[in-house]
Amino acid sequence: MALKPSYENVLVEKKEGIAWVTLNRPEKRNAMSPGLCFDMLEVLTELNTDPDVRVLVLTGAGDAFSAGMDLRLFFRALDDKPYERQLARDADRRWNWYKLAYFSKPTIAMVNGYCFGGAFTPLCACDFAIAADDAVFGLSEVNWGILPGGLVSKVVADFMPLRKAIYYSVTGRTFDGKEAEKIGLVSLAVPRARLKDEVTTLAKDLMTKSPEVLKATKDAIRHVRSMPVDQAYEYLEAKSESMRFRDGLNTRSRGMEEFLDKKTYRPGLQPMPGRK
Ligand code: ACO
């Protein structure tokens, strides 16, 4: 089944191996409505298996990444509709955590502006996050009398130092992209004018590497965090073994041959050749 020609709440543009996925409710600062969640679930399911897509970038239309859950459509309108609320919540958690965090290709959140509340989940589900240094982040749930729910408290506790996680979630104070980089919430903060170029450069760099090795590596890093040491050893051994058979580019033997025998390649000085 091919991508629908258009989605009401999401734009998809595929170009040179990169899928640019844009949350598209700029008039509501890309707040996540049930409709947006249903659209994202379909979009991610399709792009996950699209052979033309090597890297996915998630961003927002206009001056917001996303203002979080749509307080009107996702919360208030569904308060008395348990069936519809459950459908919306299922779609929400499936796209913004499970689909994204275990996406088969590398994912980059391009944080172009406001990023509030529920938007922290897809932000952290992406493998990389590059923010404009004047982007505005906020855990504003405390002002609505709700918890940073869904998975927000969990991702915040996992991705931010504890002092900062408590400080920002309990006060609801905002912070900018530079602070987000300093505390490790995003990989990098850059001037707004350079944001798209920086994301494109990273995406192109990722496309020079073996897709199977990238997927196995990102999965390994995510999974070992919650494993005891012995279990991590076992898991990583098994994963490493399986990767030797799954890597279509044969990175291991090719890389070693080029480094040890041909002396044509030094990973500290150049990317793996022949991967463009
Ligand atoms: N839910 C529903 N509607 C929203 C949301 C939201 N999270 N965020 C913005 N909107 C709507 C506004 O109600 C407004 O709608 P209207 O034109 O019908 O009045 C429209 O988007 C534009 O919002 P403004 O406030 O006018 O835009 P501005 O650029 O001045 O401010 C900002 C943007 C800072 C993002 C502000 O809208 C805001 O503080 N939003 C709330 C953010 C928030 O608290 N998110 C967490 C929600 S809880 C959760 O995610 C679990």
Side-chain angles (χ1 to χ4, degrees):
M1 202 167 80
L3 263 182
K4 273 199 228 164
S6 68
Y7 286 85
E8 199 181 330
N9 305 286
V10 182
L11 292 174
V12 181
E13 188 195 5
K14 290 189 265 180
K15 206 171 167 190
E16 295 171 1
I18 307 173
W20 298 88
V21 177
T22 305
L23 307 177
N24 190 33
R25 302 184 69 222
E27 71 291 351
K28 301 291 180 191
R29 306 302 178 260
N30 308 316
M32 296 183 277
S33 60
L36 183 144
C37 295
F38 296 133
D39 283 355
M40 279 303 296
L41 198 49
E42 268 191 60
V43 165
L44 292 180
T45 302
E46 166 74 20
L47 296 178
N48 202 28
T49 50
D50 184 336
D52 295 334
V53 173
R54 308 272 311 272
V55 175
L56 180 140
V57 177
L58 179 68
T59 190
D63 58 3
F65 177 70
S66 167
M69 303 321 295
D70 189 306
L71 292 156
R72 184 190 303 280
L73 298 178
F74 199 93
F75 289 142
R76 197 158 72 180
L78 301 185
D79 275 351
D80 302 322
K81 296 183 178 158
Y83 176 75
E84 287 83 354
R85 188 175 61 205
Q86 184 159 341
L87 284 180
R89 290 180 62 160
D90 286 350
D92 170 49
R93 70 177 54 179
R94 282 176 66 203
W95 88 260
N96 76 20
W97 185 255
Y98 293 105
K99 285 278 178 193
L100 261 186
Y102 301 107
F103 203 71
S104 59
K105 304 124 195 222
T107 52
I108 306 171
M110 181 167 88
V111 187
N112 54 310
Y114 297 118
C115 177
F116 281 94
F120 277 59
T121 305
L123 171 76
C124 295
C126 285
D127 304 316
F128 303 87
I130 302 190
D133 52 21
D134 60 354
V136 178
F137 295 78
L139 291 162
S140 53
E141 286 89 337
V142 68
N143 301 302
W144 308 118
I146 56 179
L147 283 179
L151 267 191
V152 176
S153 293
K154 169 74 176 147
V155 297
V156 161
D158 279 352
F159 282 75
M160 286 160 74
L162 186 60
R163 286 280 178 225
K164 295 288 186 180
I166 292 177
Y167 178 75
Y168 286 121
S169 51
V170 172
T171 63
R173 288 183 182 169
T174 58
F175 54 98
D176 65 12
K178 287 185 197 150
E179 167 77 350
E181 181 192 48
K182 204 163 94 189
I183 64 180
L185 180 64
V186 302
S187 328
L188 204 61
V190 296
R192 176 172 296 271
R194 275 191 23 228
L195 182 61
K196 192 162 182 187
D197 284 351
E198 202 69 49
V199 168
T200 306
T201 301
L202 173 61
K204 287 188 172 166
D205 185 21
L206 292 167
M207 284 192 270
T208 66
K209 302 183 194 308
S210 157
E212 289 86 5
V213 173
L214 290 181
K215 168 72 172 143
T217 306
K218 70 180 195 156
D219 284 355
I221 298 288
R222 282 192 192 271
H223 286 302
V224 293
R225 297 185 78 227
S226 58
M227 285 183 197
V229 168
D230 289 348
Q231 205 179 329
Y233 254 123
E234 280 300 311
Y235 165 84
L236 292 169
E237 284 290 308
K239 194 93 180 157
S240 303
E241 281 298 311
S242 79
M243 220 169 63
R244 288 174 65 173
F245 297 100
R246 296 192 62 237
D247 177 9
L249 294 181
N250 216 4
T251 310
R252 188 178 191 275
S253 54
R254 195 163 85 132
M256 289 197 196
E257 188 188 330
E258 284 162 3
F259 180 66
L260 296 173
D261 305 327
K262 297 182 180 167
K263 305 210 180 280
T264 52
Y265 163 61
R266 279 168 293 169
L269 301 181
Q270 69 219 71
M272 182 66 93
R275 296 286 150 77
K276 299 288 180 195

